[in-house]
Amino acid sequence: MTRDKPAPYRTAQPDGSNPTAGNPISPDGVPQPGQDYLIPARQGRAMRLKRGQSLTIINPQGHQVCDFFAITEDSPAEFLSMEHCRTALGRITVKTGDRLVTNRRRALIEITEDSSPGVHDILIAACDHTRYQQLGCRDYHDNCADNFRMSLAAIGVTPLHVPCPFNIWMNVPVVQGGAFDWAAPVSKPDDYVVLQALEDCIAVMSACPQDMTSVNGVGTAPAELVFRIGR
Ligand SMILES: [Zn+2]
């Protein structure tokens, strides 16, 4: 039996496309302070954050997961890294006041406020084309890895890696035996999280389009997110 060998992997190349690619918040990703930005359902957006600036991410429907990524302004090779965060925190969960670190173990993002019950995930890789194919999808399915790639391309940035995201509001409880469940978020409409940049960085947010498991709610469709600079 022969099996098709996949094409060589190119990190920055999406497996498909959606309107993320043509809708940056501005050509260079610099936001206007005080302006609310919409991330339509199933899409992503990138924005530049200066050291000391805060980013508020809002969950209007309450059941929507935000895959959050950050790469340093100095180098796309240094990025917010969940595996390094787990070591730094000594936990597999996060809480307000935590400082999230890069793959060089430098603090990059601090969780300064959280109106939700604080259930988030730092274990699970971003959904991607292959994940949906393995779940039984025959056609292209929007995914967070491609939203990350397209959000960055839309502001002229080329990623060197697709990191494991900080999955805000994603509820993946570890259960008996070390397994985990794919559960619905416990956040409520208009919950928000405030993240402060400890260094200049590029933040990427994806309104996760996962609709083949329960991570974006049961009986609910993937929904929009809103973000702004400042509180
Ligand atoms: Zn996703």
Side-chain angles (χ1 to χ4, degrees):
M1 190 176 98
T2 58
R3 182 172 290 179
D4 289 342
K5 190 178 174 189
Y9 178 49
R10 289 189 292 158
T11 307
Q13 180 69 46
D15 290 301
S17 69
N18 72 22
T20 298
N23 289 283
I25 63 162
S26 64
D28 56 4
V30 175
Q32 292 282 345
Q35 181 172 332
D36 282 359
Y37 292 97
L38 175 71
I39 308 174
R42 312 175 77 93
Q43 295 185 38
R45 293 291 184 272
M47 56 152 295
R48 288 190 143 89
L49 262 179
K50 287 287 187 191
R51 178 179 181 172
Q53 280 184 324
S54 287
L55 164 65
T56 301
I57 305 171
I58 303 155
N59 192 345
Q61 307 296 326
H63 58 77
Q64 178 60 43
V65 166
C66 176
D67 281 39
F68 179 87
F69 310 81
I71 61 178
T72 64
E73 190 66 80
D74 288 344
S75 168
E78 185 174 4
F79 49 81
L80 198 68
S81 171
M82 294 304 105
E83 55 266 48
H84 294 85
C85 286
R86 295 191 294 266
T87 301
L89 299 172
R91 285 184 256 113
I92 58 169
T93 57
V94 294
K95 58 188 179 185
T96 302
D98 281 349
R99 292 185 151 207
L100 307 182
V101 302
T102 69
N103 54 327
R104 300 191 75 199
R105 304 187 194 273
R106 298 191 311 131
L108 184 62
I109 295 287
E110 180 170 338
I111 305 171
T112 56
E113 283 189 62
D114 183 357
S115 74
S116 76
V119 175
H120 311 290
D121 169 74
I122 58 170
L123 296 176
I124 304 297
C127 64
D128 55 24
H129 178 67
T130 308
R131 169 78 168 138
Y132 290 105
Q133 297 292 300
Q134 291 174 347
L135 286 170
C137 202
R138 291 273 174 260
D139 301 319
Y140 179 70
H141 190 292
D142 298 316
N143 63 81
C144 290
D146 280 354
N147 284 344
F148 171 78
R149 296 173 173 118
M150 289 186 283
S151 299
L152 288 172
I155 63 166
V157 176
T158 302
L160 298 179
H161 186 61
V162 180
C164 176
F166 169 27
N167 294 308
I168 301 171
W169 297 301
M170 186 160 152
N171 181 13
V172 184
V174 176
V175 296
Q176 192 170 15
F180 48 78
D181 280 340
W182 303 102
V186 296
S187 40
K188 59 188 182 304
D190 295 327
D191 266 339
Y192 61 88
V193 165
V194 183
L195 305 175
Q196 186 178 44
L198 305 175
E199 300 284 346
D200 293 356
C201 63
I202 302 168
V204 181
M205 292 150 283
S206 172
C208 179
Q210 177 58 270
D211 52 8
M212 300 179 79
T213 71
S214 300
V215 297
N216 287 306
V218 176
T220 53
E224 76 281 8
L225 295 167
V226 171
F227 68 92
R228 72 171 79 100
I229 290 293
R231 168 65 182 80

